[in-house]
Amino acid sequence: MSTLNVSMPESMREYIERQAERGQYSASEYVRHLIREDQKRSAQTERGLLWEYLTLCAKQLDDGELAENVTAEDIIAQGRVRRGRSA
């Protein structure tokens, strides 16, 4: 396992320590937990964008207007822009 040093205000460090104590685990475990939860949220967002892509493609196929040369990455980028995220 590797180490990462993070600088933060004292109040944040104290908060992390309190949360870790409440959950009966170390500050490192608490931070890893937060990162895992963020990874899950990101994966859910990506799945949502892919679902939008599939839905759009299905609709375009049904309507006979499937755009050529449009990739999944194009649709994902458009979805990110609609949701205010950077690509």
Side-chain angles (χ1 to χ4, degrees):
M1 191 172 300
S2 63
T3 301
L4 173 68
N5 294 319
V6 178
S7 298
M8 66 183 67
E10 183 68 19
S11 61
M12 289 179 85
R13 185 189 64 79
E14 290 170 354
Y15 176 80
I16 289 171
E17 289 177 352
R18 283 192 310 273
Q19 292 302 107
E21 287 171 7
R22 290 174 64 193
Q24 307 228 347
Y25 39 72
S26 71
S28 292
E29 290 167 333
Y30 178 69
V31 171
R32 285 192 296 270
H33 167 74
L34 293 176
I35 292 168
R36 281 190 295 274
E37 290 300 312
D38 185 57
Q39 289 173 323
K40 286 179 191 176
R41 278 190 299 276
S42 292
Q44 288 172 339
T45 298
E46 290 298 313
R47 281 192 298 275
L49 292 171
L50 287 172
W51 183 253
E52 285 181 29
Y53 170 72
L54 291 172
T55 302
L56 176 63
C57 288
K59 182 183 180 315
Q60 289 177 342
L61 279 171
D62 288 345
D63 296 344
E65 56 188 55
L66 183 62
E68 293 187 29
N69 300 322
V70 176
T71 66
E73 290 80 12
D74 295 333
I75 301 298
I76 290 169
Q78 292 171 11
R80 284 184 176 137
V81 168
R82 283 193 305 276
R83 291 183 174 162
R85 292 182 53 206
S86 62

